[in-house]
Structures are given as C-alpha cells and as structure tokens.
Amino acid sequence: MGTHATGLIAPETIAPGTITPGTIAPRTPPAALAPAGVIAPERRVAPLPPRQRRTRDGAAMPTGPSNGSRREDGHLDSRTFRSVLGRFATGVVAITALDPVDGRPCGLAANSFTSVSLDPPLVAFCVAHTSTSWPRVRGAKALTVNVLAEDQQAVCAQMATRGGDKFAGLRWTGSPGGNPVLDGALAWLDCVVEAEHPAGDHVIVVARVLQLDTHADGGPLVFYRGGYGGFAE
C-alpha cells in the first residue's frame, strides 16, 4: 500500500482474502442524512467530552492528544497515519472503462470517491502514481464509477488486484457511454476527466458527471479499519 492510510484502498494492491468482513450499524436513519457530500448547515453536533483515563487509585483524569504520531526525525509515523485514517469509514467504487487500444474492459477499485459540486456536477477520487490500470482508464473518452454493494467484496478484491483479467467471471452491461456497469452495483455515473491534481504519491482526479442512475438495490459496501462491512438492519 505504500503510504496509503489504513482503510484507503490502494488500487491493484489488495489480494483476495486478506480483508475480513465486518458489520457497521448506522447511527442515523438514512432518511435523516443530507445528500452525499453535503452537510446540512442547520445541523449542529455537540462537542464530545474529553477522553478519560484512570490513575492507579481509580480516579479519572482527562487525557489530551498524544504526540506519539511523530518519529524522532519529526516526520509523521506512516503506520500511525494509516491507523488513524482507517477510522474514517468510506464506501467503495469500481472505476471502469474500455481500453481505447484493444477495446477490452479495464478498471480499478477506490474508496477515495466523493461528490464535489452540484453545479457543475463534479465528483473526485484519488489514484496512486503506481497504478498500472489508471493510464488505460484515463485513455478512454469517458469512465464509469460503479458504487459497489455490500455483497460485492469479492468484486472489489478482484478489481484491486494488479495485472490479469480483472473482469474474468464478472457480468456487466454497457452504460450509455459504453463502459462496464457491473451487475449488482448500486449506482453508476458516466464521467469525463475535468482535471488532475498531483498530491504526494497520488493524483486527485476531478471528473464531470455526464449521466448517472441507480442500478441494483441493497446496502453499500463499507470499508473501515482495513475490513469490509455493511449496514446492520
């Protein structure tokens, strides 16, 4: 994974069977949530009380943030960085296209996907500089974002592997733009790349949405602390 944070899916680096399933229970009813990427300004969140630790005699004493995240040379410890960032739960998407050279389907998995703007309709995701699939996807006229469902853990693992036929055994239909829409995906978005911004060992890709729709029913595939999960009923 290089310098990826734990919980950030490094395209083409996750081997099947290395991530254990989990269950994540929703804390807020879905109907009460704002649209993806939009925080309702009228909602306020009360600050959490400081964490408590106990002395030897059992008395509680507040604790502040530790400074153990830095190495002796002053740089952030990469393992701590990965562990802390892994506590941010994300969804998972498969980004697909047809290779303009040979016409074969290509793609990669990512959990760094987010909505950016309503007007114009923009989304974004991050791709590692080491990805060998992104140049193939990037070369297509358009790409398609597939929002994966909770039962598509194996699909995610297959799309994240390096090399080989990532679509072997997978069923898909063509989007209006002609790209693969994976069977069982919750939704799809046909996009064109609007801009690419170098950011450390990744590239932040901003894409304009051309068309989109829901696809299958079910819950989302959730990635948290290195494991897959879903919403408990």
Side-chain angles (χ1 to χ4, degrees):
M1 283 193 181
T3 57
H4 270 69
T6 299
L8 301 187
I9 296 178
E12 305 162 357
T13 61
I14 294 183
T18 60
I19 298 178
T20 57
T23 301
I24 299 173
R27 296 182 180 273
T28 307
L33 295 177
V38 179
I39 298 177
E42 68 275 10
R43 296 180 66 86
R44 295 292 183 267
V45 179
L48 293 174
R51 294 183 63 186
Q52 300 284 310
R53 62 186 176 93
R54 300 281 176 177
T55 62
R56 290 185 177 180
D57 60 2
M61 56 183 296
T63 61
S66 70
N67 59 0
S69 62
R70 291 191 176 274
R71 305 194 308 247
E72 291 183 359
D73 59 6
H75 290 85
L76 282 175
D77 177 71
S78 60
R79 288 177 297 181
T80 303
F81 184 83
R82 293 156 70 109
S83 176
V84 172
L85 269 293
R87 292 174 180 265
F88 179 68
T90 68
V92 186
V93 300
I95 301 166
T96 62
L98 294 181
D99 190 323
V101 176
D102 57 19
R104 298 177 62 185
C106 55
L108 52 90
N111 73 325
S112 54
F113 175 77
T114 183
S115 59
V116 174
S117 167
L118 293 175
D119 186 17
L122 300 175
V123 295
F125 53 89
C126 298
V127 180
H129 288 310
T130 55
S131 172
T132 57
S133 292
W134 174 240
R136 299 178 63 196
V137 174
R138 179 66 177 86
K141 292 182 179 180
L143 56 86
T144 298
V145 176
N146 293 256
V147 180
L148 298 184
E150 59 189 347
D151 61 353
Q152 291 184 302
Q153 175 180 337
V155 175
C156 175
Q158 186 166 326
M159 296 296 295
T161 56
R162 181 181 292 273
D165 182 3
K166 297 189 178 187
F167 288 80
L170 299 184
R171 300 181 61 182
W172 57 274
T173 55
S175 71
N179 294 322
V181 175
L182 301 172
D183 281 8
L186 300 182
W188 58 266
L189 304 86
D190 271 350
C191 310
V192 292
V193 175
E194 184 93 349
E196 294 179 77
H197 305 282
D201 54 10
H202 281 65
V203 174
I204 302 171
V205 181
V206 179
R208 181 184 292 261
V209 179
L210 303 177
Q211 302 181 73
L212 74 168
D213 203 354
T214 56
H215 192 50
D217 293 324
L221 182 63
V222 178
F223 199 67
Y224 178 68
R225 299 184 71 177
Y228 290 115
F231 280 94
E233 294 294 339

